[in-house]
Amino acid sequence: MHKVGFLLEEGFQVMALSTQAVFESANLTFGEKFYQVENYSMQGGDIRSSLGMVVQTRAVDEHSTADTWIVGGVNDPMAAPASQAKKRFLQNAAFHAKRMAAICSGAFYLAEAGLLANKTATTHWALAGDMQQRFSDIHIDANRIYVADGNIWTSAGMTAGLDLALAMVEQDLGSEVARSVAHKLVMSQKRSGGQSQHSERVDLSPKSSRIQNALEYARRNLKGSLTVDDLAAAVHLSPRQFSRVFRQETGHTPAKAVEGMRLEAARLLIEQSRQTLDVIAKETGFRDRRHMREVFIRGFGIPPQILRQGARLG
């Protein structure tokens, strides 16, 4: 029997509980109850999710044990930091448990307890920058679906918790059981690519209207060459001045920003349209289909064909 304890916080993200289906399916596939799953909270009793659903939990204390602890996240981890009691509990739990894990923003609680220091971890791509700024001793890999560094596991977004749980099943019960569980739950045993393929790629936030106008010009003219000279002329600056101001305000070169916009535009067309990859490459400013594939692999970790297959399966 392998006990899995889910540690929930008031306002927890309800999808954290979806990972329990992986362990339930593993029990059915394995033919006996290998996993025992139980919900906990610091205070015990009814815990309300961010959606309003109420879950009954047991209170943790110094005698609470589990082979694997999975910490659920909340919508805004900065607004709901871990209490001193929760930090102490996590530190003690990590000393005794086989594995400590966090789903999505739950990684912030592991970080606050010091359990991610000098380790590689991930979290939701939208929170990765905040985590890196707050915890400089953690190596944040914002493109990974999940990370297992020793006995500390972290996942990206909420659905990535399913990938993390399935990887745990594979570690505990083997690849064949994990493959069967994935088949029953209609999910990939090992998802292709990283979470960058799902993120809002270009987060430039320029300060001046001129750079904002340059970005708007680029978005309207992705089929064109969009050189530095083109962008600078569109906002009446010299190429040298434009490049300097653009990098100061966005932290990116114009070429990198344009590539990001092309990737995002191509991704949306691949997922939402029936246009061929050749047409999409032309419409979004890539030299050809081969060039688009090279940039996709560099930016997303997968070729556009795999992204299209995933969109059709969804």
Side-chain angles (χ1 to χ4, degrees):
M1 183 73 70
H2 185 105
K3 184 174 180 181
V4 182
F6 278 75
L7 184 61
L8 305 176
E9 183 83 13
E10 187 73 18
F12 72 92
Q13 294 167 319
V14 70
M15 278 194 68
L17 299 181
S18 67
T19 58
Q20 297 183 7
V22 174
F23 300 116
E24 177 185 26
S25 184
N27 284 342
L28 295 173
T29 301
F30 190 58
E32 60 182 87
K33 191 174 182 180
F34 180 80
Y35 292 107
Q36 176 189 349
V37 177
E38 193 154 6
N39 294 322
Y40 290 86
S41 65
M42 294 305 298
Q43 66 271 36
D46 289 345
I47 296 293
R48 190 176 298 274
S49 75
S50 58
L51 185 63
M53 184 184 77
V54 174
V55 174
Q56 190 174 34
T57 64
R58 291 185 60 181
V60 296
D61 56 34
E62 65 273 16
H63 303 297
S64 300
T65 59
D67 299 289
T68 296
W69 285 102
I70 298 180
V71 183
V74 295
N75 287 329
D76 186 358
M78 276 71 78
S83 64
Q84 289 300 319
K86 187 169 186 175
K87 293 177 188 177
R88 287 194 298 270
F89 172 77
L90 290 172
Q91 291 162 357
N92 183 64
F95 184 77
H96 296 284
K98 176 182 178 181
R99 284 184 300 238
M100 297 293 294
I103 298 173
C104 195
S105 63
F108 278 77
Y109 295 128
L110 297 187
E112 289 171 8
L115 300 181
L116 299 184
N118 301 313
K119 288 187 174 293
T120 299
T122 192
T123 188
H124 193 282
W125 59 264
L127 298 170
D130 291 325
M131 173 169 276
Q132 190 66 84
Q133 187 174 18
R134 289 185 60 191
F135 306 100
S136 60
D137 57 354
I138 304 173
H139 173 61
I140 308 296
D141 191 339
N143 191 44
R144 297 278 292 278
I145 297 297
Y146 69 87
V147 172
D149 189 339
N151 69 334
I152 305 293
W153 297 51
T154 49
S155 83
M158 298 305 296
T159 59
L162 295 165
D163 299 86
L164 176 144
L166 188 61
M168 290 179 176
V169 170
E170 182 170 359
Q171 185 181 81
D172 296 336
L173 299 175
S175 182
E176 288 301 317
V177 172
R179 185 178 298 112
S180 179
V181 170
H183 181 70
K184 289 177 180 177
L185 296 179
V186 196
M187 61 181 289
S188 299
Q189 185 176 358
K190 295 188 186 298
R191 202 189 314 192
S192 299
Q195 64 170 323
S196 62
Q197 64 184 290
H198 308 288
S199 66
E200 297 169 3
R201 290 283 302 170
V202 184
D203 183 17
L204 300 171
S205 304
K207 300 175 183 177
S208 70
S209 59
R210 275 191 167 178
I211 301 303
Q212 290 173 1
N213 291 338
L215 291 171
E216 285 304 314
Y217 174 85
R219 290 189 179 97
R220 293 193 304 268
N221 296 277
L222 285 178
K223 290 176 66 175
S225 61
L226 292 179
T227 63
V228 171
D229 288 352
D230 295 330
L231 297 174
V235 293
H236 310 293
L237 291 173
S238 71
R240 179 176 294 182
Q241 184 182 14
F242 174 78
S243 294
R244 177 177 56 80
V245 174
F246 190 95
R247 186 150 197 166
Q248 284 177 347
E249 294 195 14
T250 69
H252 297 270
T253 64
K256 187 67 175 178
V258 168
E259 181 179 280
M261 284 188 281
R262 284 182 169 142
L263 271 175
E264 184 68 5
R267 180 184 69 83
L268 291 173
L269 286 173
I270 288 169
E271 291 179 340
Q272 299 174 10
S273 80
R274 294 183 177 272
Q275 294 178 340
T276 67
L277 296 181
D278 290 306
V279 170
I280 290 172
K282 182 178 179 180
E283 288 294 316
T284 52
F286 294 102
R287 290 193 303 272
D288 51 31
R289 176 174 174 170
R290 180 177 295 180
H291 178 221
M292 183 172 72
R293 184 181 189 278
E294 293 171 356
V295 177
F296 256 75
I297 292 174
R298 184 167 65 245
F300 292 147
I302 57 173
Q305 295 92 333
I306 298 299
L307 183 64
R308 170 150 281 180
Q309 289 172 12
R312 286 173 176 169
L313 287 173

